[in-house]
Amino acid sequence: MTEVRANNLTFHVQPLATPDTRPDAPLVVFLHGLVVDNLSGLYLTLATPAATAGARTLCYDLRGHGRTERPPTGYTLDDSVTDLHALLDALGEHRPVRLVGNSYGGLLALAFAAHCPDRVEKIMLIESLVPTPGWGERMADTLTDAAAGAFDHNFTHMSGRKWDRTVNQVEQLIGHTSMVADMGAQEPFNPERYAMVRMPVLAVYGSESELLPEVSVLQKYLPQLELEILPEQSHMLLTRATGLVREVLARWLR
């Protein structure tokens, strides 16, 4: 485990590369989903294969998740952007990076690219949330459902210990931080914010995803968007069609 101090928090990070990885290879940063997730969801599924293919990769636990410090406040999207900015600075990564974001991590990738476009080379979104009007309120409702255990049916693949850790993380984040209130107060992206995302964006969604209808907003505002729809897949694309997502990632990396 590697700990990095950034933005007054201690982050758990996992860099990964092989002995043959070029030192000047672009860094691929993997951004996980919210509340029921941590870096482990991307470390083995995508980051390890990417490193084996020659990329420098980095996974980290978002604030409050996994083994990263859990402050009582600071869970807005802008806070997540500031955390990533500070983390890259602390690691000495000042060249443009590639971002791969799953669910909330995809939204974070878009927000970071809009905040500092010169630091992002390209983006891959996996079932990304879309910042349409009311997205924050819908996210707050989802978090409330998670606290009530309504997310159970999507995580039957977890082992007993991993499940216990996930439940504890949900309880701590929702019951002891400002996350629900912070999410509920979020605003949609305006056209000016979308306009800052000037780099290529690959968006991967399942054909059965409840988020798919909102992708038209990304198509409207992101001229360099490429959309790939995987048939017969839902929002749980990463865990239920890992092999397919790896194939898309491998093409994207090349």
Side-chain angles (χ1 to χ4, degrees):
M1 183 180 79
T2 302
E3 292 185 344
V4 175
R5 191 73 180 171
N7 199 23
N8 298 315
L9 293 176
T10 300
F11 287 86
H12 170 215
V13 305
Q14 289 287 359
L16 189 62
T18 69
D20 297 328
T21 302
R22 300 192 331 268
D24 61 342
L27 180 67
V28 185
V29 182
F30 291 85
L31 306 169
H32 67 74
L34 205 63
V35 179
V36 294
D37 207 355
N38 57 52
L39 69 77
S40 66
L42 288 163
Y43 184 77
L44 292 177
T45 55
L46 299 182
T48 299
T52 302
R56 291 192 304 130
T57 69
L58 176 73
C59 296
Y60 73 99
D61 285 328
L62 302 180
R63 70 162 57 202
H65 294 70
R67 296 177 180 176
T68 286
E69 194 173 346
R70 184 177 296 127
T73 59
Y75 292 89
T76 68
L77 183 58
D78 286 344
D79 289 320
S80 296
V81 168
T82 302
D83 287 345
L84 177 53
H85 195 286
L87 184 59
L88 291 175
D89 284 349
L91 292 169
E93 295 288 346
H94 301 294
R95 292 178 297 166
V97 299
R98 300 176 178 182
L99 299 177
V100 178
N102 180 48
S103 191
Y104 176 81
L107 179 54
L108 171 54
L110 290 174
F112 184 79
H115 179 70
C116 42
D118 293 340
R119 299 196 73 168
V120 181
E121 178 187 342
K122 60 180 183 176
I123 299 171
M124 177 174 169
L125 308 177
I126 304 168
E127 281 290 321
S128 174
L129 302 182
V130 181
T132 53
W135 80 266
E137 294 176 0
R138 293 192 296 273
M139 193 66 206
D141 290 341
T142 299
L143 297 179
T144 302
D145 289 344
F151 64 100
D152 292 7
H153 68 284
N154 283 325
F155 294 88
T156 55
H157 61 283
M158 288 185 179
S159 64
R161 291 179 62 186
K162 187 172 183 179
W163 175 255
D164 290 342
R165 289 195 297 270
T166 299
V167 170
N168 179 67
Q169 179 169 281
V170 170
E171 292 175 346
Q172 292 299 316
L173 279 168
I174 295 178
H176 299 279
T177 75
S178 62
M179 178 174 283
V180 173
D182 288 349
M183 285 293 109
Q186 296 295 279
E187 297 290 336
F189 280 19
N190 56 32
E192 291 74 23
R193 195 169 189 183
Y194 279 115
M196 296 301 294
V197 184
R198 299 187 290 264
M199 66 292 300
V201 179
L202 171 62
V204 185
Y205 286 84
S207 63
E208 309 304 314
S209 171
E210 66 273 19
L211 297 177
L212 191 56
E214 298 184 358
V215 176
S216 60
V217 176
L218 300 182
Q219 292 175 305
K220 177 181 179 180
Y221 289 111
L222 301 179
Q224 296 203 66
L225 182 81
E226 176 186 353
L227 177 62
E228 181 150 354
I229 300 175
L230 300 186
E232 300 181 0
Q233 299 300 327
S234 69
H235 185 62
M236 300 303 292
L237 184 62
L238 182 60
T239 55
R240 295 180 177 172
T242 305
L244 293 176
V245 180
R246 282 178 181 166
E247 291 174 7
V248 176
L249 174 67
R251 294 197 301 269
W252 181 78
L253 287 172
R254 289 194 296 269

